[in-house]
Amino acid sequence: MTEAQAKLIAAAEQVLGAKGVITDPREIAPWVSDWRGRVHGASPAILAPASTDEVAAIVRLAAEHRVPLVPQGGNTGMAAGATPAADGSGIVLSLRRMNRIRAISADSRLAVAEAGVVLETLHRAADDIGMRFPLTLGARGSCTIGGLASTNAGGTQVLKFGTMRALVAGVEAVLPDGSVHSGLTGLKKDNRGYSLDQLLIGAEGTLGVVAAVALRLVPAVAGRAVAWAGVESPMRALDLLRFLEARTGSVEGFELVPEDSLQLVLKHVPGTRAPLSSTRPWHVLIEATTAQPGTDVAAELEGLLGAALDQGIIADAVLAASEVQAEAFWKIRDSISEAERVEGQTLAHDISVAVGDMPRFLVEAAAAVEQRFPGVIASGFGHLGDGNIHFHVRAASHAAPDWYEREGAAITRFVDDLVTAAGGSISAEHGIGQLKLAEFERLAPPGRLHALRAIKQALDPLGIMNPGKLVP
Amino acid sequence: MTEAQAKLIAAAEQVLGAKGVITDPREIAPWVSDWRGRVHGASPAILAPASTDEVAAIVRLAAEHRVPLVPQGGNTGMAAGATPAADGSGIVLSLRRMNRIRAISADSRLAVAEAGVVLETLHRAADDIGMRFPLTLGARGSCTIGGLASTNAGGTQVLKFGTMRALVAGVEAVLPDGSVHSGLTGLKKDNRGYSLDQLLIGAEGTLGVVAAVALRLVPAVAGRAVAWAGVESPMRALDLLRFLEARTGSVEGFELVPEDSLQLVLKHVPGTRAPLSSTRPWHVLIEATTAQPGTDVAAELEGLLGAALDQGIIADAVLAASEVQAEAFWKIRDSISEAERVEGQTLAHDISVAVGDMPRFLVEAAAAVEQRFPGVIASGFGHLGDGNIHFHVRAASHAAPDWYEREGAAITRFVDDLVTAAGGSISAEHGIGQLKLAEFERLAPPGRLHALRAIKQALDPLGIMNPGKLVP
């Protein structure tokens, strides 16, 4: 611990009390590695303010002592954006004690949640008033609202409702100079200068600490239908999406699953079974919902899938006959990463291209990777409707245990080059954090890097807000 | 003309050719005053590039010669944000020659329009492919896509579709260093650092020149219903909105009209007549639409208004029986400002508070203004569903001809203080430009002003991008 850190921690104890300063290494340990266990950092303490004023006080102290802060929510990020540096130069600022839902209203269709509110908690609170917060993802039991906003999180319902950027109605944040940006008034229209709210969304804590967020709610789901369809190719999957979108506004989930991924799930995840009796090279999981009671969304989806079958767009389809079966379909989709991990070493890429380009990109990129790195298996699954695929490259069965370390970087560079050449993004929804920093620097246009660095330097001239993340 | 300006203009002629450089004062004249004729500027020339590369070349020349540029589209702004300085120190950069729709597709639901495309032209192009660009406003025949993005324009359909911020899928812009930010790939998900797109939206040309915009399209309207309802108070109007929103997703316009404004329209605008036979103190214009063929949105709205009548929420209502009648209802709404101008001097305020707070704010603020400035008439009309009201203060009939100049600033300060105390915005949709700069500086929190100035200085250190606008 440096002298400056010791001074900051001592001063923080005055502000936060004993409950707000954790120094026991055993209590710190779970929070200084990323959840995938790939990046290990160090922090001499965890500071845990319980109010926005306390956050502001800590930020001012950090500025005074020139000690970097690493804001952290549920520590479920995919790019190690909330993991402190290995040299222990930073201090983790945990928002988990800020876990109040300050307000929630069906009339205004808004909730104001502090940064440390767990997503699932917000889901339940919205349910309780007959409303819904539509963003969801696998980590919903751990991830927090502040982290979701700071990483502009996506998930499985983006098709209809957008990412966090579309769902945030306002942000309360402590800026690096210790001033509080108060954007929680819930104004639907406000054109007073640059949108600091939008700048803070996706900034990964590098421009300030998100302390609370106003979130848009939508009407509760009155009817839901889940279906599984078999298709001959990703192109046909996209055809199905266009077919449905032209005829209904109810599709909110549209997830692509290759046969290969399905087989891995069936092999490694107990209790799963194939939705279709026939074997098809590609599959689509479709979720349709309606907020209007009396609308039979299942009948509508069944009718549309029947028409798609007649037109030869899909090869086979089945509608989940019950909530249990619907959950079983989703379990297959949500278990792909887990099944792959059991099978062997996997290299994950969270990429996007324009929606209409993804089917062809996916097929061609997988072929190119498999040709360039013989023995590997490349495939993609996920949010086809958003042009966002989790493009995974699995080691050959005979690969060495250090395949990931030895080959990973070269394969990732190859994939990222393909994505960049296609006008796509090397980080669709997981962010840059630490893990993608070098690739981002390698591939971003110089003008863009210059602009990001200028903004960072302008708002955080002392470099105390999550340095070494997001901005190369 | 300064020596630096002469050098810039000469160099611009090399880049743009004769068509791209206007120096005839008669051709310049219409573009150096704002459209309301309140602010008069000067510019020794108008530079009119025809491509993004040409814009970039001009920006680099402007940087080299340290001559400020004033980006301008249709010159229909409400805050004189595109009007050059009176001292002639800047040069107008017109985007009107960049008027191509580069791409438009029903499949991808995207259009890519250059900055100079007129909104109405885009509306027609979307119609032609069976789609719709849903943002619209009074100036649609003149205003341009670049200006709409740069001012985060709103309008009458924000309730359902949001402001430009929600409709822009990507921005191509020339940054102050002459580099081109290319954000037109139409990615639905992209988390590579701070969102420059979102920073440029609403930046009023102070951080760069928006050259082209990717825009979201929505399905064409398959059915539309327009109704007029009489209510006893703004509170009851909001009750009606809540009542409708809880029962249907089809309401996309909800405009409040006071009886007083209606009477002015009937008095001054030929061919208008009152929609209701009874007299009510407040009125609401409601527009409901559906994109689903076969949905009878008129019957749905009629049924809901009948129920609202039964419950005593509204006092009277009439459904437009034809498109002609629907347009007649809208004409009343759209003629209020014009009728007020004929009646006498009017001071306009484009304000917002939280939607649920607006009814009470509106009534109390009008009473406070009329008490503090005896003789004036204060009232508000417009986008109640967005919490955005055009709060107008009219001079007493016996007011002196210079009332606006003598009293205007004091009344506006009084109104802005009320709005700020209510947590609202002194610029809901019209922007800051030049006209609201002093009030913005007076009322914004110091931390926010500091952040805006730091961002401006970071990205435009030479101060060549529309100086004297937006950032106090």
Side-chain angles (χ1 to χ4, degrees), chain A residues 190-192 425 427 448, chain B residues 189-192 425 427 448:
Chain A
D190 182 11
N191 276 346
R192 288 174 295 172
S425 172
S427 178
R448 177 163 176 76
Chain B
K189 287 182 177 172
D190 182 11
N191 277 345
R192 289 175 294 172
S425 172
S427 177
R448 176 162 177 75

Side-chain angles (χ1 to χ4, degrees), chain A residues 373-416:
Chain A
F373 301 96
V376 305
I377 297 166
S379 77
F381 66 91
H383 323 301
L384 186 69
D386 309 322
N388 172 207
I389 288 292
H390 299 303
F391 187 84
H392 287 192
V393 180
R394 305 206 315 269
S397 52
H398 58 272
D402 61 350
W403 172 85
Y404 185 94
E405 282 71 29
R406 281 179 46 189
E407 300 278 342
I411 296 173
T412 293
R413 278 197 300 273
F414 187 80
V415 171
D416 288 347

Side-chain angles (χ1 to χ4, degrees), chain B residues 448-459:
Chain B
R448 176 162 177 75
L449 284 180
H450 175 260
L452 298 191
R453 287 168 178 153
I455 293 166
K456 168 70 176 172
Q457 173 67 24
L459 293 183

